[in-house]
Amino acid sequence: MNTTMSAEPGVATRSPMSPRPAAQGQSRTEPGADALKSTAPIRVASVPAGHVYVRHLSPVGESADPAVVRLADPDPDDPRRSAVSRWWPPVMLDADWVHAHADEFDVFHLQFGFDARTPDELRALVAALRAEGKPLVYTVHDLRNPHHADRREHDAQLDVLVPAADGLITLTSGAADEIARRWGRTALVVPHPHVVDLDTMERMRAVREESATAAGVATAAGDATASATGADASAPRPFRIGVHVKSLRASMDPLPVIETIARSIEERRLGTAILQVNGHADVLQPDGARYDAELAGFLRDAERRGVLELRIHDFFTDDELWEYLASLDVSVLPYRFGTHSGWLEACRDLGTAVVAPDIGYYADQGPVLSYHRDGETLDAESLERAVIAAMNSPRAEGADIGECLRQRASVAAAHLDLYRALLS
């Protein structure tokens, strides 16, 4: 991996890491092994530590003597205990925690989870780290917070964190360019690792292969029957388009997207395609805490007309989410603003195509079919074209396990390089 580190404090410069597959020149059997050798592990206070993104910053099958050790998330209800599943609100963001635990970590790495912190509280965190001599690394996932309708608070938080960080990372070259324009800082570009666990990816791939084989046998049998009876044997599985309204974060604007696709289906411009809309009960049930009467009313009316399939449920477990995404041919992201998407990465892992708005840096993350979105305005024609393009494209096989292994090693090595440079 061709890597150079700037001598200027807090600025890392590196040739951007390629998306899957990972950087060239690494062994498939021991990817990045030399880069990960170290005499003592670097202890990282990671905010958070238990999130799947952070877990996948370590190489697969890491040895009993890892180069990087990330502290467990403290339990928000009792910071003396490690959290098993709940990490929010992150206790490590308290300046008092930094002072009390400074001898337990070498590097402080902030990923996300600071939504509820004021700029002054973040300044206090930075000051505590400075006082304890601990370098701050910040991975810029969001240049626009998907949970905030008003961007000003997040901008103010970034105005504290980005200039103060000793090392900056982001996921795409487009985001790195924006960081350079806004703050004059150079961010190391490290791509998002896979989201879906490797065993599930292998299982889903096997299911798809079995389905394709079964479809081939069924087609052959149908052709024979058709030849004897004169019937039409062509009955391909309908193309399935998914829109998930989740719990309507501020960044989501699903109704125009659903209206556009539903109209295209109703006017028979998408053949036999099926529009499947999934949503959480808190948004689509009248007694839900975030009930959206307009959205729910449209969906129920469209369902009665046979234009879409509506599925209302509570939050998916991880396994349920992966099964859902794998069942779709394309997932349409109904975002009005944003930066990067873990949902997009999960779709790539499972071989599900993604139609995404041309905002943020979704297209920089990996192959997507883009439609135009300008603030509150959706270009319906471009959305329909993107869906048709997905229908006319062969289905991807999903992420290659070998590529995921190599990328995990490259991602881990990139983080280790940065940590070592800051501690040298």
Side-chain angles (χ1 to χ4, degrees):
M1 183 159 46
N2 181 15
T3 301
T4 58
M5 303 298 295
S6 167
E8 179 182 350
V11 178
T13 59
R14 182 187 301 248
S15 55
M17 296 177 64
S18 60
R20 304 182 194 119
Q24 297 179 352
Q26 292 186 346
S27 163
R28 177 178 291 234
T29 54
E30 294 185 45
D34 291 340
L36 296 177
K37 289 179 180 177
S38 177
T39 56
I42 295 174
R43 304 166 301 166
V44 179
S46 177
V47 181
H51 190 277
V52 63
Y53 169 84
V54 181
R55 296 200 307 271
H56 289 179
L57 299 182
S58 298
V60 178
E62 192 169 46
S63 69
D65 184 24
V68 174
V69 175
R70 291 178 173 87
L71 276 59
D73 295 305
D75 188 329
D77 296 322
D78 184 353
R80 295 169 299 178
R81 300 196 308 255
S82 297
V84 175
S85 59
R86 186 169 75 88
W87 58 268
W88 199 92
V91 177
M92 290 184 184
L93 293 181
D94 292 334
D96 289 344
W97 184 94
V98 171
H99 291 304
H101 298 270
D103 60 344
E104 299 173 17
F105 67 94
D106 305 302
V107 176
F108 193 96
H109 193 156
L110 177 58
Q111 302 280 353
F112 37 76
F114 56 87
D115 310 52
R117 297 284 169 162
T118 67
D120 282 344
E121 288 172 327
L122 294 176
R123 289 187 190 94
L125 169 67
V126 171
L129 292 170
R130 293 281 182 270
E132 299 293 347
K134 304 296 182 179
L136 168 63
V137 176
Y138 173 41
T139 296
V140 186
H141 291 266
D142 297 310
L143 287 160
R144 176 81 190 269
N145 191 313
H147 301 284
H148 294 176
D150 187 329
R151 68 175 300 153
R152 289 175 293 182
E153 179 70 10
H154 189 65
D155 284 347
Q157 293 167 327
L158 293 181
D159 284 340
V160 174
L161 294 172
V162 175
D166 300 290
L168 285 171
I169 297 173
T170 193
L171 308 180
T172 59
S173 58
D177 290 343
E178 182 175 336
I179 291 167
R181 288 194 306 270
R182 292 174 64 179
W183 293 283
R185 298 295 308 275
T186 300
L188 170 64
V189 178
V190 182
H192 200 302
H194 66 95
V195 173
V196 181
D197 63 277
L198 300 178
D199 289 343
T200 296
M201 277 194 269
E202 286 188 314
R203 178 170 58 83
M204 295 294 185
R205 181 188 289 266
V207 169
R208 284 195 300 274
E209 290 173 351
E210 290 174 5
S211 298
T213 301
V217 171
T219 299
D223 288 343
T225 302
S227 177
T229 65
D232 182 5
S234 59
R237 182 182 69 85
F239 189 86
R240 189 165 290 271
I241 305 163
V243 180
H244 200 303
V245 303
K246 296 193 278 189
S247 286
L248 289 187
R249 295 185 301 182
S251 63
M252 297 185 67
D253 187 21
L255 187 53
V257 169
I258 296 168
E259 287 176 330
T260 296
I261 300 172
R263 183 167 57 250
S264 298
I265 287 177
E266 200 161 26
E267 295 175 359
R268 302 189 180 280
R269 294 197 297 275
L270 297 180
T272 60
I274 293 173
L275 172 58
Q276 177 181 326
V277 178
N278 285 60
H280 292 160
D282 65 335
V283 171
L284 299 179
Q285 297 285 25
D287 59 349
R290 307 181 191 181
Y291 180 58
D292 186 317
E294 181 183 12
L295 176 61
F298 175 86
L299 293 176
R300 293 196 182 281
D301 180 63
E303 181 186 35
R304 283 191 294 270
R305 300 198 317 271
V307 178
L308 56 79
E309 294 181 4
L310 177 60
R311 304 186 184 184
I312 301 174
H313 48 79
D314 291 321
F315 288 82
F316 281 144
T317 63
D318 283 351
D319 287 343
E320 290 170 339
L321 179 58
W322 309 150
E323 293 281 354
Y324 157 71
L325 289 177
S327 73
L328 303 176
D329 293 290
V330 64
S331 180
V332 182
L333 306 187
Y335 301 152
R336 59 160 63 95
F337 59 81
T339 310
H340 300 116
S341 170
W343 188 277
L344 182 158
E345 296 289 346
C347 288
R348 291 178 62 200
D349 293 341
L350 296 168
T352 301
V354 175
V355 167
D358 56 356
I359 56 175
Y361 303 104
Y362 304 129
D364 284 7
Q365 283 186 254
V368 300
L369 296 154
S370 298
Y371 66 92
H372 183 56
R373 177 109 202 188
D374 184 9
E376 298 301 310
T377 304
L378 168 70
D379 182 342
E381 290 184 2
S382 69
L383 175 56
E384 182 178 296
R385 287 195 301 269
V387 172
I388 291 173
M391 295 175 67
N392 291 331
S393 301
R395 172 144 190 168
E397 294 183 352
D400 178 80
I401 301 301
E403 291 177 1
C404 289
L405 293 172
R406 290 192 296 274
Q407 188 201 46
R408 284 275 292 271
S410 291
V411 166
H415 282 75
L416 179 60
D417 286 347
L418 179 57
Y419 296 156
R420 285 177 174 167
L422 295 174
L423 293 171
S424 62

